[in-house]
Amino acid sequence: MITGTNLTKKFDEKTALNSVNFKLLKGSIYGLVGSNGSGKSTLLRLIAGVYRADGGSIEIDGEDCFDNVIAKEKIAFLGDTPYFLPQSNLVEMKKFYKSLYKNFDEETFEHLLTVFPLDKTARISTMSKGMQRQAALILAMSTKPEYLLLDEAFDGLDVVMRRVLANIIIDGVEKDKLTVVIASHNLRELEDIVDHIILIHNGDMLFNDNTENIKGRIHKIQVAFDRVPDTSVFDQLDVMKIEKTGSLLQMIVRGDQEEIMKYIKNLLPVFAECIEPSIEEIFLYELEVIGYDVKNILQ
């Protein structure tokens, strides 16, 4: 388990992370979302032991990761710009990784070369951005990590390779209880793979919850009436937002879906249905309610 307690990081006068608290459970896939500059990459680097915290603590299975070789062997961190030795190819990078990670697995390395069809003897510097990302993923997964940290993991990958990566991550979670943290500014590309969402804005952690809890508490309701009642009839519901188009009302309501629909149907509508909103929509509604400018958080 990864635990952050009052975790703070500053760069000169700028606070990148502001006393955040969290727990990341084993065998889960976390989507770390927020706009550029929100603190996502800083958090990943603190978890990986690249940065030392200025305040609070971060622990990997009860141990501080900074300057801790044993703890770092459990972690594979793929930054937004992967690093490779100058003029190296994948064979040479494999040797380098094997010298650092005692659990580096040759079989996994060779298998992933069939999944990501790269020439392991070609200089990595001559490869495209997407191919370099694939090379870095092969190396990272071959270390057999317990924790996989990915910064903009899908950047530079085409649709097919994105699906391949998603399947590899899911397989690792199911077979090896891998814990994955994927940082992205695009919540839509994470929605189908993650089971937890963390939302960071201006160094503050606004949300950290599993997707089932998130989906279960907010509902999009469409309801039509012969004669549209005054919206005050919905005051007994926890209505976050309501819009009227002719005889059709669209509402965003927080609470138990069954109880909400029972209440609405007692008003004798012509038509009523509950539509499951996307994770992105839910965040937008929640942030609007608590007064955040959503255009500057999720974009």
Side-chain angles (χ1 to χ4, degrees), residues 41-164:
S41 296
T42 298
L43 179 56
L44 290 185
R45 283 167 170 77
L46 284 165
I47 295 173
V50 177
Y51 292 158
R52 186 196 293 271
D54 293 315
S57 65
I58 186 160
E59 294 183 342
I60 310 293
D61 297 334
E63 295 188 44
D64 190 326
C65 188
F66 191 79
D67 275 349
N68 186 332
V69 174
I70 294 175
K72 287 187 176 184
E73 281 192 336
K74 299 179 180 181
I75 301 168
F77 171 51
L78 177 54
D80 53 355
T81 304
Y83 171 79
F84 304 100
L85 296 173
Q87 306 302 314
S88 63
N89 58 32
L90 267 169
V91 174
E92 293 162 338
M93 286 303 302
K94 179 185 70 173
K95 293 178 182 177
F96 177 65
Y97 269 63
K98 286 184 70 174
S99 70
L100 300 175
Y101 293 91
K102 65 183 180 183
N103 292 326
F104 191 95
D105 188 71
E106 292 262 9
E107 186 176 335
T108 299
F109 179 81
E110 294 299 331
H111 168 68
L112 290 175
L113 279 173
T114 67
V115 177
F116 298 105
L118 302 178
D119 180 357
K120 62 184 178 181
T121 63
R123 286 185 181 178
I124 299 173
S125 61
T126 66
M127 296 179 181
S128 68
K129 181 178 181 180
M131 294 171 71
Q132 289 186 14
R133 175 71 59 172
Q134 293 170 42
L137 286 165
I138 290 171
L139 294 164
M141 292 301 294
S142 297
T143 67
K144 306 300 286 184
E146 294 182 35
Y147 302 96
L148 178 63
L149 312 177
L150 303 173
D151 198 352
E152 300 294 347
F154 299 97
D155 190 29
L157 300 182
D158 60 31
V159 174
V160 174
M161 287 297 105
R162 286 176 185 229
R163 177 45 52 190
V164 169

Side-chain angles (χ1 to χ4, degrees), residues 10 26 54 82 89 136 142 145 195 209 213 217 226 267 273:
K10 296 183 178 180
K26 285 197 173 183
D54 293 315
N89 58 32
S142 297
D195 49 36
D209 206 347
N213 285 345
R217 66 180 179 233
D226 283 329
L267 300 174
E273 71 171 345

Side-chain angles (χ1 to χ4, degrees), residues 219-235 237 239 241-253 261 264 267 269-275:
H219 312 281
K220 183 191 294 185
I221 311 294
Q222 289 187 336
V223 55
F225 297 89
D226 283 329
R227 295 182 63 184
V228 180
D230 188 87
T231 56
S232 62
V233 301
F234 302 109
D235 287 349
L237 299 176
V239 179
K241 189 175 183 179
I242 186 167
E243 295 178 344
K244 177 182 175 183
T245 305
S247 61
L248 180 69
L249 296 177
Q250 179 166 286
M251 300 185 293
I252 307 303
V253 187
M261 294 306 293
I264 290 175
L267 300 174
V270 175
F271 166 80
E273 71 171 345
C274 181
I275 304 170

Side-chain angles (χ1 to χ4, degrees), residues 1 22-33 173 178-184 186-187 189-199 205 207-215 217 279 283:
M1 180 169 66
F22 60 90
K23 290 183 179 180
L24 307 182
L25 305 178
K26 285 197 173 183
S28 296
I29 306 174
Y30 289 82
L32 178 60
V33 296
V173 172
L178 179 66
T179 301
V180 185
V181 185
I182 308 174
S184 177
N186 188 343
L187 185 52
E189 72 179 9
L190 300 181
E191 185 166 350
D192 293 337
I193 183 175
V194 302
D195 49 36
H196 289 73
I197 296 286
I198 299 171
L199 177 60
M205 191 169 287
F207 289 98
N208 181 6
D209 206 347
N210 72 60
T211 55
E212 291 306 312
N213 285 345
I214 295 169
K215 289 180 178 179
R217 66 180 179 233
I279 292 291
F283 274 122

